Structure formats: C-alpha cells, structure tokens
Amino acid sequence: RDLVTGPGALVQETGSFDADRFVLPQEAKVLVVVEGTEGSACNVYAFEQGEAGWELRVQTAGWLGLNGMSNHRTEGDKTTPIGVFQMNTPFGQDDPLDGFPSNYIKVDETYIWDQYANRLVQDTSASGEQVGTEGYAEHYDYVIDAGYNKNAVPKAGSALFIHCIGKGKTYTSGCVSIPKEEMAKIMRLYGAYGDGACYIAQAPQGTFDLIYDTYGTNNGLSPEGDFGV
C-alpha cells in the first residue's frame, strides 16, 4: 500500500531496494535510504538494526537537489550524490530534544561549514556555508552531514546534508530535505548509537543494485556506473 506523508507525495511502503543487501561495517545500527523518484522528489526510509535485520522506523517523502541525483557531482551543480556513506556531525539552529546525540552542536553565526575541509568549524574567517545564520533558518533546524566526500576532494562538492524542509521549498542545492518531525526521529536514532553507527544510501529508484556493496569505495565519493541520470 501507499502512505500519504511528508510534503504530500505518495510514499511506497516498500521501496525499490532490499535494506538487508547493503554491505556495511558490523557497527552499523542505523540505515537511512534515499530513493530518488522523479526530478527533485524522493522517498526517505530510516531503519534500525534489530534481531531480525533492518526494521523500518521512518518513512516520508522528501526533496533532492534541483537537478536530481548524480554519481559525478561537482561543486555547485545542484545534484544529490549517489552512493553509500557514513553520516556524521549532528547539528542545528534549534535546541536539541530529548534523545538527540550527546555531541549535537547548536550552531550560531560563528559556525561555518568549511568548503575546503568539508567539516563544521567555529571560525568566521573560514569560507563556506554560514550554517547558523537567518538564511538557513528552518532548513537547518536539525542537520546531519551525509558523509559524502569525507576526504574533501577539491571541487567534488561539500556540505551535503540531510536536513529539514524549508517553507515552500520543493528542491535543495544537493542535500536531502524531509519534514522536521521526521528529521527529529532520525536525529534520535543517531543519538541512540552515536558516531560511526549511522549510514545513508542514496540512489535513483530501481538502481540500488549498483550501490549495495560500494560503501568506502572511490575515495569517499560516488561509485562508478550508469544510473540513467
């Protein structure tokens, strides 16, 4: 059956993937799957590792980059990167809720996501997104870095997050956005296990066979392959 949720799109109860087929480190306890559907639209599912395998905890419609998904992302091309990555750096402009990660950072105007190091710094002289400013209100109420380009390869893109939907926004610049209440649920899942236990898999609908075993490949960027995008 379909569920009506998130930004108003129909979300398939079962996506075009098998969560149990992803090859992840033994310490993986949370898996977020982003399934591109058409244009900038997507379905997002969050699973928690249970005794019988991956158990669904969150499902919602969401938004991708304005130009869809790509496994050849470059800085500023407004695509969401394809691949499997380890999530990191929980932060946001809002106060943390009960169950949020112990290392959640409430950002203000002194924080920058450094585009060269691809990480959060408290340094106004750095170059990158001013994540704690009014321009990112709503979008960055709660944020987790998706882990793409962890080695900060120049011009491959940085600041690719999963975050909240901004009012009236039906696309992002390359991140994944979902309703705030669903983002809070994913933040609590992260908080239950901490750093190193949470992963995200992103691919167009029907192409997950090409990424099941690609975690940790290609220098932390997207895997090679023809994803038809």
Side-chain angles (χ1 to χ4, degrees):
R1 62 189 174 93
D2 294 334
L3 300 180
V4 179
T5 183
L10 282 173
V11 179
Q12 295 291 329
E13 186 173 14
T14 303
S16 65
F17 59 88
D18 179 353
D20 291 316
R21 290 183 61 188
F22 287 101
V23 179
L24 299 171
Q26 187 174 359
E27 59 268 25
K29 300 298 182 184
V30 175
L31 172 63
V32 177
V33 181
V34 179
E35 177 186 52
T37 52
E38 184 177 2
S40 61
C42 66
N43 295 330
V44 178
Y45 307 81
F47 299 85
E48 182 177 16
Q49 186 65 251
E51 292 183 1
W54 290 112
E55 299 176 358
L56 185 64
R57 297 289 185 250
V58 175
Q59 60 188 102
T60 182
W63 302 113
L64 301 167
L66 176 65
N67 295 320
M69 308 187 89
S70 172
N71 63 324
H72 299 288
R73 193 184 199 282
T74 57
E75 192 73 53
D77 71 4
K78 298 189 186 312
T79 64
T80 296
I82 292 167
V84 184
F85 314 106
Q86 186 185 91
M87 301 165 73
N88 65 83
T89 317
F91 71 93
Q93 294 190 12
D94 276 10
D95 291 326
L97 302 177
D98 289 344
F100 273 31
S102 60
N103 61 341
Y104 175 93
I105 300 170
K106 183 179 179 181
V107 294
D108 56 28
E109 293 183 355
T110 66
Y111 283 88
I112 304 288
W113 192 274
D114 188 320
Q115 69 181 50
Y116 299 111
N118 197 19
R119 64 185 180 89
L120 186 65
V121 298
Q122 193 172 18
D123 179 1
T124 56
S125 69
S127 178
E129 287 191 4
Q130 298 173 306
V131 296
T133 57
E134 180 64 25
Y136 291 101
E138 293 185 346
H139 304 81
Y140 287 1
D141 285 352
Y142 308 135
V143 188
I144 304 175
D145 180 46
Y148 166 77
N149 196 15
K150 66 177 182 177
N151 297 318
V153 176
K155 299 183 180 181
S158 63
L160 279 304
F161 309 135
I162 181 168
H163 61 68
C164 305
I165 293 175
K167 185 179 295 185
K169 283 289 188 179
T170 59
Y171 62 86
T172 72
S173 292
C175 297
V176 175
S177 66
I178 60 175
K180 185 174 181 177
E181 59 270 25
E182 306 304 325
M183 188 63 209
K185 294 176 184 177
I186 291 176
M187 192 70 79
R188 286 191 171 103
L189 286 171
Y190 193 111
Y193 299 102
D195 293 342
C198 303
Y199 294 78
I200 189 167
Q202 305 182 152
Q205 193 172 50
T207 68
F208 284 90
D209 282 346
L210 297 173
I211 71 166
Y212 283 131
D213 62 351
T214 62
Y215 172 71
T217 61
N218 202 20
N219 200 25
L221 301 176
S222 297
E224 298 299 325
D226 181 6
F227 292 86
V229 294

